[in-house]
């Protein structure tokens, strides 16, 4: 991989900048009375991923409606309240308590910045600023921090990725996307001709990324 050609790097968050192994179980154990709501969210998210809803309001309206559809005892209003007031704040608090950045993440970001690279964080979930701060990163380490929902559709929505590229003035030929999942991150990048690096491709992948830039 010729890193000299890159002018921008897009990072996924969950599973990429930190190893999210064990997070689903911790989410369940921290909110056992609502574990059935969490199950509905996981199914609904899978059902609507990749679709374009135009903006964040459209994405969340679709998500909560789908949660209510897959779990008849759940209303759209309850789904929305649980997600915004319980689920996302809980993710932030669990990251703060139990999870660490991958080794030398801050040094990697600083080295990329020193090369003049534009660095964008592109998360599939909301509360993206709160989550990076819970992990010990500051927002000024990135040139842009956005969620897929804010771009109009959950990964791997092609339109969301195109809006992100346009918003930050990125060129696919000179952009590297760093993520941890082929079905969401990889499928967001490759259709637009963006190089994709999977930090979970093999046990040495993260170390190999560090060697490229440090």
């Amino acid at each position: 991989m010729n890193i000299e050609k890159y002018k921008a790097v897009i990072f996924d968050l969950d599973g990429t900048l930190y190893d999210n192994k064990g997070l689903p179980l911790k989410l369940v154990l921290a909110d056992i009375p609502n574990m059935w709501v969490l199950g509905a969210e996981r199914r609904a998210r899978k059902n609507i991923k990749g679709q374009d809803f135009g903006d964040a309001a459209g994405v969340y309206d679709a998500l909560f409606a789908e949660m209510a559809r897959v779990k008849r005892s759940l209303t759209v209003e309850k789904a929305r309240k649980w997600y915004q007031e319980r689920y996302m704040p809980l993710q932030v608090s669990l990251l703060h308590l139990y999870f660490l950045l991958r080794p030398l993440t801050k040094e990697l970001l600083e080295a990329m910045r020193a090369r003049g690279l534009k660095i964008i964080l592109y998360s599939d979930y909301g509360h993206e600023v709160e989550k990076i701060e819970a992990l010990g990163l500051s927002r000024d380490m990135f040139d842009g921090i956005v969620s897929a929902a804010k771009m109009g559709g959950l990964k791997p929505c092609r339109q969301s990725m195109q809006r992100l590229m346009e918003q930050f003035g990125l060129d696919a030929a000179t952009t590297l996307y760093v993520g941890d999942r082929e079905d969401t991150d990889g499928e967001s990048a490759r259709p637009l001709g963006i190089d994709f690096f999977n930090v979970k491709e093999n046990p040495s992948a993260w170390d190999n990324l560090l060697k490229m830039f440090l």
Side-chain angles (χ1 to χ4, degrees):
M1 182 180 291
N2 177 21
I3 67 170
E4 299 302 324
K5 72 175 182 177
Y6 297 123
K7 296 182 179 179
V9 180
I10 299 169
F11 279 99
D12 170 57
L13 174 56
D14 298 294
T16 299
L17 294 183
Y18 73 99
D19 187 348
N20 61 349
K21 182 179 180 181
L23 179 57
L25 178 59
K26 289 185 183 301
L27 285 167
V28 169
L29 294 178
D31 196 19
I32 290 177
N34 288 312
M35 61 186 297
W36 62 280
V37 186
L38 176 60
E41 192 275 344
R42 303 311 302 164
R43 290 176 58 191
R45 178 174 290 272
K46 183 177 180 179
N47 291 346
I48 71 166
K49 74 176 186 177
Q51 300 180 45
D52 180 28
F53 299 98
D55 56 22
V59 171
Y60 288 118
D61 285 347
L63 176 64
F64 302 139
E66 184 65 11
M67 287 175 66
R69 189 191 71 81
V70 301
K71 196 68 177 180
R72 298 293 185 182
S73 57
L74 183 65
T75 65
V76 171
E77 292 74 19
K78 183 172 182 177
R80 188 184 303 274
K81 182 177 177 64
W82 169 83
Y83 189 93
Q84 295 176 345
E85 299 181 11
R86 181 60 180 167
Y87 183 50
M88 293 311 302
L90 184 58
Q91 283 197 30
V92 173
S93 65
L94 289 175
L95 292 191
H96 178 71
L97 288 171
Y98 299 111
F99 293 87
L100 299 173
L101 292 168
R102 290 190 184 274
L104 299 177
T105 294
K106 292 181 180 180
E107 290 82 354
L108 175 61
L109 295 175
E110 291 168 355
M112 289 178 168
R113 178 62 58 80
R115 287 176 175 268
L117 297 175
K118 185 178 289 187
I119 305 173
I120 309 298
L121 184 80
Y122 184 43
S123 175
D124 214 19
Y125 289 86
H127 281 55
E128 57 273 19
V129 172
E130 293 90 338
K131 290 173 79 172
I132 65 165
E133 290 178 343
L135 290 164
L137 294 175
S138 61
R139 67 182 71 193
D140 61 8
M141 300 183 79
F142 300 89
D143 296 284
I145 302 174
V146 295
S147 67
K150 289 179 181 175
M151 293 292 102
L154 304 182
K155 300 175 185 179
C157 177
R158 185 186 183 102
Q159 293 88 342
S160 291
M161 195 67 198
Q162 289 172 327
R163 292 183 188 115
L164 180 148
M165 299 294 284
E166 293 169 2
Q167 178 172 323
F168 295 104
L170 308 185
D171 180 1
T174 58
T175 298
L176 175 66
Y177 190 127
V178 179
D180 72 308
R181 291 180 55 173
E182 294 289 338
D183 63 329
T184 53
D185 300 314
E187 288 305 311
S188 291
R190 293 195 181 102
L192 297 185
I194 301 168
D195 288 346
F196 175 60
F197 186 95
N198 188 340
V199 301
K200 291 183 179 177
E201 184 176 13
N202 58 63
S204 301
W206 181 257
D207 288 338
N208 292 337
L209 182 67
L210 293 176
K211 290 175 184 177
M212 291 180 201
F213 290 96
L214 294 181

